[in-house]
Amino acid sequence: HDDVASAIHGYQAEAAVSMSGARFVALSGHIAQLERALASFFMDMHTSEHGYTEMSVPLVVGSSSLEGTGQLPKFKEDLFAITPESHTCNGEDAYLIPTAEVPLTNLHRNQVLDETDLPLSYVAWTPCFRAEAGSYGRDTRGLIRTHQFGKVELVKITTPETSDAEHEALTRHAETCLQKLKLPYRKVRLCSGDLGFSARHCYDLEVWLPGAQEFREISSCSNTGDFQARRMGLRYRPSAPPAEEGEKKKAKKPKPQLCHTINGSGLAVGRALVAVLENYQMPDGSLVVPEVLRPYMGNKEILKPN
């Protein structure tokens, strides 16, 4: 994919490395436009067709927010920390977000929501920052594994009774993006031993990359149950049962219960760009623009090498 992007004069790896070090890239021209087209297409799909509320969220969060979603303390070495001399978040250590899941889920930390307001569905397109600790020597070229990458994130806050159905819906929404792009992919249900730290049920969506002759993860859709909600004090108050006929006393308000939280990429923009570059390349080095992206690309159908 990096060779295809370079031929179209859209891949500036050396310039990025000279500024920022290994695992950073810069894109230009049609390739940068294609990356933006993918993100815009995903956002439009989720807000217009899937009913998510678009959010713009902070890229810097405090340690308690990361503890709430489960990145701290276990995955501290994967985070980009900000020095306390530079900035703190309400007196806490500050970090760049590894995923928009963190600020989106923490929007309602220490709140009691009404059952009638659930489910809440949020989507955000943000840069994400990961140290990629433990990945030394793997995927050192290209866009597969970088310290900074764009991602469209989906988050749902639900009741326990609806969380399984909402998890399936969120996964379908991510799949729809791959289907619209006509990219070959597979859906994998993870066994218990492969589940992430906070998840109780997870599907991985893996897209086919011809360059490596393998499927690679492009989305991980997880139902965390009440794990995150318990850590961040996220609760809802069930609706009061209707009063029985002839009953004089008002029914007591039900006690607050823990919400369930669901998250998934919809999709990882960098890896989607890789998939498009590799699956839509032509023998002469040109690139066919996927039909659904053409309105975002000035109706260009083919990107030709210079």
Side-chain angles (χ1 to χ4, degrees):
H1 66 271
D2 48 336
D3 292 335
V4 177
S6 296
I8 304 174
H9 290 275
Y11 187 68
Q12 312 290 336
E14 291 183 6
V17 170
S18 68
M19 289 185 285
S20 305
R23 297 192 187 277
F24 285 93
V25 297
L27 305 177
S28 60
H30 291 320
I31 302 302
Q33 186 182 13
L34 188 60
E35 180 188 44
R36 175 165 54 88
L38 282 162
S40 298
F41 167 64
F42 297 155
M43 291 296 292
D44 287 346
M45 279 286 297
H46 297 312
T47 54
S48 299
E49 298 190 23
H50 299 152
Y52 290 79
T53 299
E54 183 171 351
M55 299 295 299
S56 177
V57 292
L59 304 182
V60 177
V61 295
S63 57
S64 60
S65 294
L66 290 154
E67 288 165 2
T69 46
Q71 279 81 10
L72 282 178
K74 186 171 184 179
F75 302 109
K76 186 174 183 178
E77 63 179 8
D78 282 331
L79 300 173
F80 274 97
I82 296 173
T83 61
E85 295 78 17
S86 173
H87 179 72
T88 61
C89 294
N90 301 316
E92 299 177 355
D93 290 341
Y95 298 85
L96 296 177
I97 63 168
T99 165
E101 168 199 343
V102 179
L104 286 175
T105 312
N106 275 279
L107 285 169
H108 298 286
R109 182 176 61 174
N110 294 324
Q111 291 184 17
V112 178
L113 307 173
D114 289 329
E115 183 178 8
T116 53
D117 293 331
L118 301 179
L120 295 172
S121 301
Y122 294 130
V123 59
W125 169 31
T126 67
C128 303
F129 305 89
R130 296 185 188 174
E132 295 292 353
S135 61
Y136 181 79
R138 288 188 292 164
D139 303 314
T140 53
R141 283 186 60 189
L143 298 165
I144 290 291
R145 193 182 297 273
T146 56
H147 288 312
Q148 176 187 324
F149 57 94
K151 184 157 67 79
V152 172
E153 184 72 8
L154 306 174
V155 164
K156 284 179 174 283
I157 300 172
T158 74
T159 64
E161 293 76 16
T162 61
S163 71
D164 287 339
E166 292 294 337
H167 180 214
E168 298 293 334
L170 182 145
T171 305
R172 285 196 304 272
H173 297 157
E175 283 188 85
T176 300
C177 294
L178 289 165
Q179 293 163 359
K180 294 276 189 180
L181 287 168
K182 298 180 180 178
L183 291 171
Y185 77 97
R186 67 185 182 186
K187 176 182 174 182
V188 180
R189 184 182 183 188
L190 300 191
C191 66
S192 298
D194 288 335
L195 285 176
F197 176 58
S198 60
R200 73 171 193 174
H201 185 193
C202 180
Y203 295 109
D204 275 0
L205 303 181
E206 299 178 345
V207 69
W208 175 251
L209 300 182
Q213 287 292 293
E214 63 181 356
F215 286 95
R216 294 297 294 263
E217 179 193 324
I218 194 168
S219 176
S220 188
C221 302
S222 302
N223 185 342
T224 70
D226 62 11
F227 177 83
Q228 292 179 332
R230 189 181 301 277
R231 291 165 74 101
M232 67 177 65
L234 171 55
R235 299 177 296 165
Y236 77 99
R237 190 181 299 279
S239 300
E244 293 184 14
E245 192 173 334
E247 192 175 344
K248 293 182 179 179
K249 289 185 178 179
K250 283 187 179 180
K252 288 184 178 180
K253 284 186 177 181
K255 291 183 178 180
Q257 298 181 19
L258 291 169
C259 295
H260 279 200
T261 58
I262 303 159
N263 64 77
S265 302
L267 302 160
V269 179
R271 291 198 175 184
L273 177 60
V274 170
V276 168
L277 290 171
E278 295 197 3
N279 285 283
Y280 280 88
Q281 63 175 309
M282 302 296 286
D284 64 355
S286 61
L287 183 74
V288 176
V289 178
E291 190 173 347
V292 292
L293 298 183
R294 291 173 188 174
Y296 302 92
M297 295 287 295
N299 294 315
K300 297 182 187 74
E301 296 183 7
I302 297 178
L303 304 179
K304 296 181 178 180
N306 296 327

